[in-house]
Amino acid sequence: MTDTIINLETVNPIEFFGANNRKLDLLKKKFPLLKILSRGTQIKLSGAPDQIESAKEKIELIIQYMERNGDLSSNYFEQILGGDDAETIDNFVERNPNDILVFGPNGKTVRARTANQKKMVQAADKNDIVFATGPAGTGKTYTAVAMAVRALKNKLVKKIILTRPAVEAGESLGFLPGDLKEKIDPYLRPLYDALDDMIPADKLGYYMSTRTIEIAPLAYMRGRTLDNAFIILDEAQNANDLQLKMFLTRIGSNAKAIITGDPTQIDLPKNQRSGLDKASRILQHVDGIGHVQLDEEDVVRHRLVKAIIRAYEKEKEKEDINGHDNYRR
């Protein structure tokens, strides 16, 4: 048995250990064969050399992340502990500054964190239209918005247009009071949330007032020609065939478009079919159109989201086998 001391002098030890030592308990749970003690700004590891080395690598990754970002949520702490070395380094340690898509308010860095998110960025760099599909929490919308903001800041486009179908997610919201903007904002809130992370509030307000950034329901795209723009169609699984065709034929010169959606979360009325699957299928081999499939390994929300997605996928497989597939395509 050997001992190793790791110093936490470059980070806040209280933030490292977490409230009531929650993060320290996660570390102990990850390495049950080690004796792990915290002493002020130090961690003492006692146990087999190979176990100590493995724990030391994880701790050093966590320290690097905290040195760069200042804090670290319990969720990210657990993700770093749970990933293998290559994945963890790729997702959490920014070796290459060119990986950063946007510098947000207060120096926050926004970048593609997973392998498939990076494929989204590469596909958008090479193609004018990209279909990015996958389950909730995989960062489809967030990554797409980051690329749009980057293109605007680099003067590659003159405006950003963000749109989604105004379809209720399995519930009736009833009559919404207020003017048109107040009626449609609840459907578009996720797009605002992403922009808030990437653009200071005063500048975002200016962009919105000058229509440099425009957020609107999909129906408002009809009849327009979208030139010199980065366009995102979010929640495309809730667009029917005619709507998707309409959107795709709006794209003008010097424009890029990303279509994101989750085919397993269709909220259309029963008498309507989603057009996402058909559009991505018939355009699969068209030059200039890219396709990226994200999965549960790309989930960057709470750790339980990944488990929830897997549970629903297993249930769907059972229903398919038993001939009781209630999922609409």
Side-chain angles (χ1 to χ4, degrees):
M1 179 177 289
T2 59
D3 296 334
T4 295
I5 301 293
I6 300 175
N7 290 307
L8 304 176
E9 296 173 349
T10 60
V11 299
N12 183 345
I14 297 176
E15 177 64 33
F16 183 97
F17 295 128
N20 300 318
N21 285 330
R22 170 170 167 71
K23 295 175 188 172
L24 180 62
D25 290 340
L26 291 173
L27 183 63
K28 291 179 178 179
K29 184 178 179 180
K30 174 66 177 178
F31 298 98
L33 300 181
L34 290 180
K35 184 177 181 181
I36 302 176
L37 299 174
S38 61
R39 297 177 178 175
T41 59
Q42 293 183 331
I43 297 177
K44 182 180 179 181
L45 306 177
S46 301
D50 60 332
Q51 285 284 309
I52 288 178
E53 187 61 28
S54 179
K56 185 179 177 182
E57 289 179 359
K58 296 295 186 183
I59 292 170
E60 288 175 348
L61 285 175
I62 291 168
I63 291 173
Q64 288 182 52
Y65 185 96
M66 293 183 66
E67 286 175 342
R68 188 178 69 248
N69 296 281
D71 57 13
L72 177 65
S73 68
S74 295
N75 185 31
Y76 275 9
F77 191 97
E78 195 164 4
Q79 286 188 46
I80 292 176
L81 290 179
D84 59 48
D85 292 344
E87 177 188 4
T88 303
I89 291 172
D90 188 47
N91 289 353
F92 291 96
V93 182
E94 291 170 355
R95 301 293 191 187
N96 185 356
N98 294 327
D99 288 343
I100 299 172
L101 295 173
V102 178
F103 285 98
N106 302 317
K108 177 177 181 178
T109 58
V110 179
R111 67 190 183 99
R113 291 194 173 277
T114 71
N116 286 324
Q117 288 175 11
K118 290 179 180 180
K119 287 181 181 179
M120 274 186 67
V121 176
Q122 294 166 358
D125 288 341
K126 295 177 182 178
N127 301 279
D128 288 336
I129 298 175
V130 174
F131 285 84
T133 57
T138 51
K140 304 180 299 297
T141 301
Y142 200 80
T143 303
V145 172
M147 286 189 283
V149 172
R150 179 185 65 170
L152 182 65
K153 288 186 174 181
N154 292 340
K155 300 186 182 338
L156 299 177
V157 296
K158 294 182 179 179
K159 57 188 173 183
I160 296 172
I161 298 174
L162 309 175
T163 184
R164 14 159 76 187
V167 176
E168 298 166 350
E171 57 184 318
S172 178
L173 299 179
F175 174 74
L176 293 173
D179 60 20
L180 179 62
K181 183 178 184 300
E182 291 171 329
K183 290 178 187 292
I184 64 177
D185 270 2
Y187 299 105
L188 307 173
R189 188 70 252 171
L191 300 174
Y192 287 106
D193 290 343
L195 288 170
D196 286 340
D197 272 0
M198 301 174 199
I199 302 176
D202 56 344
K203 196 164 190 178
L204 178 57
Y206 170 77
Y207 281 152
M208 300 287 286
S209 65
T210 58
R211 298 177 70 84
T212 302
I213 296 180
E214 179 182 352
I215 303 179
L218 178 58
Y220 283 48
M221 298 298 106
R222 187 175 300 278
R224 300 181 61 180
T225 300
L226 308 174
D227 297 323
N228 301 305
F230 200 113
I231 314 141
I232 298 172
L233 171 57
D234 191 37
E235 298 287 345
Q237 78 276 2
N238 288 329
N240 62 37
D241 190 25
L242 291 178
Q243 287 175 321
L244 256 175
K245 181 181 178 182
M246 177 274 291
F247 172 80
L248 291 168
T249 54
R250 299 306 93 201
I251 298 167
S253 61
N254 191 40
K256 279 187 178 288
I258 297 184
I259 298 94
T260 69
D262 177 1
T264 69
Q265 292 192 359
I266 298 171
D267 302 307
L268 289 168
K270 292 183 178 180
N271 61 343
Q272 295 187 36
R273 296 186 63 183
S274 171
L276 179 59
D277 180 66
K278 178 180 177 180
S280 58
R281 175 172 49 81
I282 66 176
L283 300 174
Q284 183 70 41
H285 302 294
V286 176
D287 188 40
I289 299 180
H291 300 263
V292 179
Q293 176 68 48
L294 295 94
D295 56 38
E296 67 271 9
E297 296 304 319
D298 299 295
V299 170
V300 291
R301 292 181 184 170
H302 193 283
R303 61 181 180 82
L304 289 177
V305 174
K306 187 181 294 188
I308 291 167
I309 291 170
R310 286 175 176 168
Y312 271 92
E313 287 180 345
K314 288 181 180 178
E315 182 63 21
K316 181 180 181 299
E317 289 173 1
K318 291 179 183 177
E319 291 178 346
D320 289 343
I321 292 172
N322 294 329
H324 299 293
D325 186 3
N326 294 322
Y327 288 76
R328 285 181 290 110
R329 298 295 181 183

